[in-house]
Amino acid sequence: MVRAWFMDDSSEDQRQPHMTDPPQFVSLDDLKKLGVLYFEIDSDPKKAEEQVNKIRKDRGYTYQDMITCSKDKLPNYEEKLKVFFEEHLHTDEEIRYITEGSGYFDVRDKNDKWIRIELVPNDLLILPAGIYHRFTLDDKNYIQAHRFFVGEPVWTPHNRPADDMEARQSYVKNFPVSG
């Protein structure tokens, strides 16, 4: 089951949890208000396949692949992790279904504060197009995830600031960032 919390302001190792003290947890309802959707996928392989196929069908995801982030599996590992951790947005949804390992997606709340979302096996997370976010591994340095796309995959990150992009403007309109 996913956990999310507001992050502290520390610049120490990005792979640490970075919880505030005391922790300020964020509910799934609050994530949903930001357009972030979460699905807990069953651990039974047959039920998991049924759940994932239904989500894919309902949301029109026609393409999928798998990514493994680890030193021995991801070419240019250190450089890729730096790119993933740069604050950016995409013009399409970003969908990840975690099958092994763990990591963090960070998203901005309506007051521009970072919320860290911890992902572990059986978590499926959908980030809306236009949301500023970033990704990092945790201290285990390993994650494997299915990625889903509508049509041909687009992996282009648009680093912040990208407020003039149509995807960002649409996000702000659909999920107002003030108040």
Side-chain angles (χ1 to χ4, degrees), residues 9 81 99 139 175:
D9 294 325
L81 287 184
T99 55
D139 58 6
F175 303 98

Side-chain angles (χ1 to χ4, degrees), residues 143-163:
I143 198 167
Q144 184 177 72
H146 288 272
R147 302 185 292 190
F148 302 110
F149 300 89
V150 175
E152 288 298 309
V154 177
W155 290 289
T156 306
H158 301 278
N159 290 347
R160 190 172 189 175
D163 295 334

Side-chain angles (χ1 to χ4, degrees), residues 54-130:
K54 181 177 182 338
I55 293 166
R56 288 183 66 198
K57 181 180 178 194
D58 290 350
R59 299 187 69 83
Y61 303 144
T62 57
Y63 181 93
Q64 87 171 32
D65 68 7
M66 184 166 308
I67 185 169
T68 302
C69 294
S70 69
K71 287 181 182 176
D72 60 332
K73 298 284 185 183
L74 185 64
N76 303 316
Y77 173 79
E78 293 296 338
E79 184 59 32
K80 289 277 174 84
L81 287 184
K82 287 178 187 173
V83 169
F84 295 160
F85 199 63
E86 285 289 320
E87 184 175 6
H88 63 277
L89 61 78
H90 298 285
T91 56
D92 294 311
E93 290 181 335
E94 184 161 347
I95 307 98
R96 298 294 181 269
Y97 166 40
I98 310 307
T99 55
E100 295 178 7
S102 50
Y104 302 117
F105 270 97
D106 302 334
V107 299
R108 294 283 190 178
D109 80 343
K110 294 175 186 256
N111 296 310
D112 216 32
K113 300 223 181 259
W114 282 118
I115 296 172
R116 176 150 280 189
I117 305 167
E118 178 184 52
L119 296 174
V120 298
N122 304 319
D123 288 341
L124 190 150
L125 190 74
I126 302 172
L127 301 180

